Amino acid sequence: MPSIKEVARAAGVSVTTVSFVLNNKGNISDETRQRVLNVIADLDYTPSAHARNLRDNQARVVGYAWDKTRDRFNPVLDNFLYEMLRLCEQSGRNLLLFSNDAEIGLDPYRTLIDSRRVDGFILSHTRQNDPRFEYLYNANIPFAAFGRSNSPIDELVAWVDVDGSAGTAAATHHLIQQGHEKIGFIGWPIGSVSGDRRYFGYMQTAERAGLPQPDKYVMRATNDSASGYHAAQHLLTLPTPPTAIVCVSDVIALGVLRYRIESSCQVAVTGFDDTPIAEFSYPALTSVRQPIAAVAELLVEMLFLQLDERDILTPHHLLKPELVVRASSLK
Amino acid sequence: MPSIKEVARAAGVSVTTVSFVLNNKGNISDETRQRVLNVIADLDYTPSAHARNLRDNQARVVGYAWDKTRDRFNPVLDNFLYEMLRLCEQSGRNLLLFSNDAEIGLDPYRTLIDSRRVDGFILSHTRQNDPRFEYLYNANIPFAAFGRSNSPIDELVAWVDVDGSAGTAAATHHLIQQGHEKIGFIGWPIGSVSGDRRYFGYMQTAERAGLPQPDKYVMRATNDSASGYHAAQHLLTLPTPPTAIVCVSDVIALGVLRYRIESSCQVAVTGFDDTPIAEFSYPALTSVRQPIAAVAELLVEMLFLQLDERDILTPHHLLKPELVVRASSLK
DNA sequence: GGAGGGTTTAGAAACCCTCCCCTACCCAAC
DNA sequence: GTTGGGTAGGGGAGGGTTTCTAAACCCTCC
């Protein structure tokens, strides 16, 4: 493979000149520039990323943890990954993936930074008091997070989050508009940050609308459709069953739909995340869609501002999700 | 950040010695080794990947194209990605993702290799006469492909494929064992490599079993559940409708299931790929599961053998998929 | 004719690591 | 006391790039 030195010799100029041509710096006459460019094309020369990286101590690479162990079905993150990829490449950077099983903790982050393989990170799967926030912030490593850690450090770091509470509120509101008065909720066990927010959106909307006893219609389920099925069974065999159910996730909603088919009742159902399940289920599932492309764009932008040592004007973004109405919530 | 020079000075040894300790080379007395290791720990020293890469002209990085535009729902590849990631990390390598929309072609591959950012590639989404095979083979760039290109060059390169024909054969066979005699097939339009193979598995099994007129029960559909729904509608309103349908994909099978519910018939259904759809649908969908972990392991192993300039004993692997039987195909 | 200014170009250091080639030393054998 | 062989460790080049500093060149103008 040709080096910059050989290009210089072949073009009859110095290495400096070639470098200037490559990086659009310095004062190079048009004629010289053209000659150098021709030689570069002739020799099929591409600068070595290694040498460049060594020289200015930058990897031009962003790290992202791909964690499929926690939820093996998460198409939202698939798209998130794709969007980030596109955006990184637009600015000439690449995306380095690493695995980060919950137990491993900070080690992969440390290793990648210490060996200079990445310049910064995009985080997702954030959790309460996420230790990564503290480590990265204290070590002064650029990062931007999809989600918050629900601790004071959130104020100091760049994050984008989707307002889950607004999502379930929209779903509940939509059901009220459809004429429902007894609306139930099937959520995750209390204690998960996003699960609790989604519950809050439902409850607040139900209370404000003056629905009767919404708390009587709340069930908790694990995130699978069997669990959703049983929760639905319980709710819908109450003396005065709800006529609509807001679900904390599509998978749980699917269990409700299954019960709905089996028992031939007409309960309206909404899910959350607008996974492909929602589109493909029968009936098609009304669901809350997160603006993933917007999230990715804001995160990447904020990360790059940090990498360029420029200021972030608005480091925190809380985005509104969108309710996608389909057959499952319509009469 | 400390460099190897500072470690050497702090430990009172030469740079060479530190390097030897780091790489377990040369003759270093236990005492010296221990002293160096202590200093390394004290200073929290990690060698610069950039310098290493430059020195021995290696990136220790594998490239993989993440292409979400072609099929935005492909959980199989999610898992594939995760498995590859784990395997790469086990050998101290990282995985670099890049986007590769169909139109872009070879450019991203060229760029990554020319700039030495990756040492080799794992390919997926292979297609007929895949141009990547020829380019990479001729340029002598290490790679291993999930899928074949169906051209003579397949003989020369490393690939792993899953026998789609065996998958639909197993599904058809299973349905025959369940007592079905009129078995239909809903496939993709003729011309896709994997689609045609899956069709072949069905047809061959049906013919060998002496099923009556299997070709009368073949429909073609695009890969969405509405299209599957209509194909099912057509098949099941024939004068003598099939009692079971083999589908080329889970998504199409889902459309069939929808029709089955609406028309309250009991047609047995099988899908392909064992996506989460299969598990979550109602009834749960019998489907053909690809041994993704095994595919990833073989590919990564073959790629690493090439990177280490060692011989691959068996460069081609055709794996058998597994039929996962669920309610949709049982009486 | 030469000083001075602006435009181009050259030389060389620095980034950090690995590894080839030496040296210094010790001990045993002649 | 010299040689020989083995072990522990050091010196320094080289890998490809960017960029700082300095020099060369060409004009213009006095």
Side-chain angles (χ1 to χ4, degrees), chain A residues 250-265:
Chain A
D250 281 357
V251 174
I252 286 180
L254 208 68
V256 179
L257 285 183
R258 181 177 302 186
Y259 184 81
R260 165 176 153 156
I261 291 172
E262 286 191 5
S263 67
S264 299
C265 75

Side-chain angles (χ1 to χ4, degrees), chain B residues 34-107:
Chain B
Q34 207 38 254
R35 188 151 36 99
V36 171
L37 287 175
N38 288 341
V39 172
I40 286 175
D42 279 359
L43 297 185
D44 198 16
Y45 165 74
T46 310
S48 150
H50 302 322
R52 254 191 193 164
N53 290 345
L54 175 61
R55 173 72 236 269
D56 46 39
N57 201 27
Q58 261 200 55
R60 292 175 186 82
V61 169
V62 173
Y64 178 68
W66 187 244
D67 185 349
K68 269 289 164 179
T69 51
R70 214 163 307 167
D71 45 7
R72 50 183 233 301
F73 176 56
N74 196 335
V76 174
L77 288 186
D78 291 10
N79 293 327
F80 182 56
L81 185 55
Y82 183 72
E83 294 295 333
M84 285 198 304
L85 202 51
R86 272 192 33 242
L87 294 162
C88 285
E89 289 177 345
Q90 274 173 22
S91 79
R93 277 174 249 245
N94 284 106
L95 198 63
L96 188 88
L97 235 52
F98 59 102
S99 67
N100 180 42
D101 305 326
E103 301 312 313
I104 297 181
L106 298 174
D107 271 6

Side-chain angles (χ1 to χ4, degrees), chain A residues 31-291:
Chain A
E31 191 223 317
T32 308
R33 172 187 313 280
Q34 207 37 254
R35 188 151 36 97
V36 171
L37 287 175
N38 288 341
V39 171
I40 287 175
D42 279 359
L43 298 184
D44 198 17
Y45 165 74
T46 310
S48 150
H50 302 323
R52 246 187 200 171
N53 290 344
L54 174 61
R55 163 66 223 210
D56 46 41
N57 200 27
Q58 262 199 55
R60 292 174 186 83
V61 169
V62 174
Y64 177 67
W66 186 245
D67 185 350
K68 269 287 163 178
T69 51
R70 213 163 307 168
D71 45 6
R72 50 181 234 300
F73 177 56
N74 196 334
V76 173
L77 288 186
D78 292 9
N79 292 327
F80 182 57
L81 185 55
Y82 183 71
E83 294 294 333
M84 284 198 305
L85 203 52
R86 272 192 34 243
L87 295 161
C88 285
E89 288 177 345
Q90 275 173 22
S91 78
R93 276 173 250 244
N94 284 105
L95 198 63
L96 189 88
L97 235 53
F98 59 102
S99 66
N100 180 43
D101 305 325
E103 300 312 313
I104 297 181
L106 298 175
D107 271 5
Y109 292 90
R110 256 195 263 274
T111 308
L112 287 172
I113 281 293
D114 286 350
S115 63
R116 286 78 137 187
R117 264 186 284 249
V118 306
D119 300 321
F121 294 100
I122 299 283
L123 266 47
S124 66
H125 268 301
T126 55
R127 54 184 189 277
Q128 189 91 34
N129 293 317
D130 201 310
R132 298 174 296 176
F133 278 48
E134 202 177 309
Y135 164 63
L136 295 171
Y137 177 75
N138 288 333
N140 206 22
I141 297 164
F143 75 101
F146 180 9
R148 287 165 279 178
S149 76
N150 269 39
S151 68
I153 205 172
D154 286 351
E155 280 310 306
L156 305 171
V157 307
W159 54 257
V160 178
D161 208 351
V162 175
D163 188 345
S165 155
T168 43
T172 310
H173 191 70
H174 161 70
L175 292 170
I176 292 172
Q177 288 211 310
Q178 291 286 308
H180 295 280
E181 294 186 339
K182 296 187 295 276
I183 300 177
F185 178 81
I186 303 179
W188 293 319
I190 293 175
S192 94
V193 176
S194 57
D196 293 353
R197 289 215 194 94
R198 292 177 192 185
Y199 166 73
F200 179 78
Y202 153 79
M203 187 51 78
Q204 192 184 45
T205 308
E207 281 174 347
R208 285 196 183 154
L211 302 192
Q213 310 188 321
D215 49 320
K216 291 279 192 285
Y217 292 135
V218 172
M219 292 290 292
R220 302 288 172 174
T222 55
N223 201 35
D224 57 86
S225 60
S227 187
Y229 179 95
H230 291 122
Q233 188 169 39
H234 178 91
L235 284 177
L236 296 172
T237 51
L238 288 173
T240 54
T243 61
I245 299 179
V246 173
C247 298
V248 73
S249 77
D250 281 357
V251 174
I252 286 180
L254 208 68
V256 179
L257 285 183
R258 181 177 302 186
Y259 184 81
R260 165 176 153 156
I261 291 172
E262 286 191 5
S263 67
S264 299
C265 75
Q266 285 300 314
V267 62
V269 184
T270 69
F272 207 110
D273 267 353
D274 194 34
T275 57
I277 286 182
E279 190 181 341
F280 294 140
S281 72
Y282 180 74
L285 181 64
T286 294
S287 192
V288 177
R289 176 187 296 167
Q290 308 201 34

